[in-house]
Amino acid sequence: MKRLKTFIAKILRRLLPFKYYKLVANGFIIVPSYYKSIIEDAERYMNLSLQDSPEKDVLLMRKYAHILDKGLHRSDAEPGHSKSVYENLKLLIRKLSETKYGKDATYIWAESKLEKYEMLQRDPKSFEPFRGDPVTSQISYEDLFSLIKQRRSNRVFKPQQISEVVIRQLKEVVNWSASSCNKQPIQLFVTNNPDLSKKCLACCKGGTGFSDYIPSFWVFTADCRGYVWPTELYLPVLDTSLGIQNVFLTAYTMNISGSILTWAQKSEQEEILLREYLNIPREYIIVCCAVMGYAEYSYCTPQRKSIV
């Protein structure tokens, strides 16, 4: 019976257009209209993630190098483990060696993990696990907590642009945020043009109450090609959110305030326009947007719930 079903499925896959084949394969399940856009987005990104590209390879390279790295930090590391991960990493490093990513810092880092793993297999007795230098934070809990409490999402800005130097510094902060399996999928799309920023803001639901002057508009995205769909459906949002928090806290040390704008309620036309305005490739999932600038005045602090 199982073989018959498999045979029929193959025939239907050849005869039917893909969207109709999926309907049959899923048992003609009827989905409420308010879920359809979410499902369509997920399927679109899943299809894009299945396509081969150097960009996909570099994300997976970081992932496999991270998996090996965890084992290579262990005092009880032994040869023979994670062979499939090693083979995958070795293949990706070979593929990427002739691309622009062959000189990337993460490529060199991944190579070092491969070499350390190979050394463990050859000579386990002389193996010494990786160990980082001890770190003592120079930032006190009180200072960090004070910064977290002071940060506000202001919406009225001085007619003062954020310099390109500062934007680069904030991008660097995002680059050092945590991410699942060290894939580093976050990509920022930023305009420092007030007129273009205003047009981008018009694409966002909840973009009300802002001053007429919009200094800088930011779009936080995640490269969909680094994820296994649908099991990692929520990871792009999680990974990107970690970077967003870094940006907002760091920006506040520079007297720059920002206001996050949801992208969950976007329409198809709004997505098309925003991608056109900032040249955002289709492979990048738009997680949320933000307006950044120097506040004309600070918003009042809302009270927080009690800690139980």
Side-chain angles (χ1 to χ4, degrees):
M1 180 61 72
K2 185 176 181 181
R3 288 183 179 180
L4 179 61
K5 287 183 178 179
T6 302
F7 175 74
I8 293 173
K10 287 181 179 179
I11 297 297
L12 291 174
R13 178 68 187 91
R14 290 177 183 175
L15 296 176
L16 296 175
F18 187 57
K19 65 178 182 179
Y20 296 123
Y21 167 74
K22 286 196 297 184
L23 184 63
V24 173
N26 290 318
F28 295 96
I29 295 174
I30 305 300
V31 178
S33 60
Y34 44 82
Y35 288 125
K36 284 184 178 178
S37 62
I38 298 172
I39 294 171
E40 287 170 357
D41 284 348
E43 289 193 335
R44 180 170 70 253
Y45 293 126
M46 180 174 66
N47 291 339
L48 288 169
S49 74
L50 296 174
Q51 299 175 9
D52 291 329
S53 69
E55 289 71 27
K56 174 183 177 179
D57 289 341
V58 77
L59 288 161
L60 294 179
M61 177 197 72
R62 296 177 191 139
K63 173 183 177 178
Y64 292 130
H66 167 76
I67 294 170
L68 285 190
D69 189 36
K70 289 190 294 183
L72 295 171
H73 273 84
R74 293 182 58 151
S75 300
D76 60 350
E78 295 179 351
H81 295 284
S82 305
K83 285 186 177 180
S84 62
V85 174
Y86 162 74
E87 293 296 339
N88 286 331
L89 178 59
K90 188 176 180 179
L91 174 63
L92 290 170
I93 285 177
R94 189 183 306 127
K95 286 175 67 177
L96 290 166
S97 63
E98 300 300 322
T99 71
K100 64 180 180 180
Y101 298 107
K103 295 181 180 179
D104 187 84
T106 60
Y107 177 92
I108 297 167
W109 169 81
E111 269 192 322
S112 72
K113 306 306 172 186
L114 196 71
E115 292 168 3
K116 186 80 168 181
Y117 179 87
E118 291 172 342
M119 191 201 75
L120 172 62
Q121 312 312 304
R122 291 193 309 267
D123 189 7
K125 290 184 178 180
S126 64
F127 172 78
E128 293 183 5
F130 280 123
R131 289 291 181 270
D133 296 328
V135 176
T136 301
S137 175
Q138 302 301 310
I139 303 171
S140 69
Y141 166 83
E142 288 76 18
D143 287 342
L144 179 58
F145 189 37
S146 176
L147 175 65
I148 292 171
K149 289 193 294 183
Q150 289 172 16
R151 191 208 63 77
R152 297 271 68 77
S153 298
N154 299 298
R155 294 191 171 210
V156 181
F157 302 100
K158 296 177 182 178
Q160 177 182 351
Q161 280 191 300
I162 301 174
S163 72
E164 292 295 338
V165 172
V166 169
I167 289 176
R168 183 172 180 81
Q169 288 175 321
L170 293 176
K171 285 183 176 181
E172 190 71 18
V173 166
V174 171
N175 202 39
W176 280 95
S177 61
S179 61
S180 57
C181 285
N182 194 39
K183 288 192 287 283
Q184 303 174 35
I186 304 175
Q187 293 289 337
L188 291 183
F189 295 86
V190 180
T191 176
N192 211 17
N193 180 321
D195 292 332
L196 181 55
S197 294
K198 201 168 182 178
K199 290 170 69 176
C200 292
L201 177 61
C203 295
C204 298
K205 301 288 195 301
T208 58
F210 283 92
S211 56
D212 187 62
Y213 182 78
I214 306 298
S216 182
F217 191 88
W218 294 51
V219 180
F220 296 87
T221 76
D223 192 333
C224 73
R225 293 168 290 192
Y227 298 95
V228 179
W229 300 84
T231 55
E232 295 183 340
L233 177 64
Y234 298 108
L235 280 182
V237 175
L238 175 60
D239 288 342
T240 308
S241 297
L242 292 169
I244 292 169
Q245 182 73 343
N246 281 7
V247 166
F248 275 69
L249 288 177
T250 305
Y252 222 68
T253 69
M254 303 171 173
N255 298 315
I256 295 171
S257 176
S259 186
I260 292 178
L261 295 156
T262 180
W263 193 243
Q265 297 171 310
K266 54 81 173 68
S267 68
E268 183 179 354
Q269 184 60 26
E270 287 166 343
E271 174 134 5
I272 291 171
L273 280 175
L274 189 61
R275 288 186 182 275
E276 286 180 354
Y277 289 153
L278 298 182
N279 297 314
I280 303 172
R282 58 180 186 155
E283 293 86 2
Y284 295 111
I285 304 167
I286 298 176
V287 175
C288 74
C289 305
V291 171
M292 305 284 281
Y294 297 93
E296 182 70 39
Y297 55 82
S298 184
Y299 276 42
C300 296
T301 305
Q303 188 55 265
R304 286 305 196 247
K305 64 185 180 184
S306 299
I307 301 299
V308 179

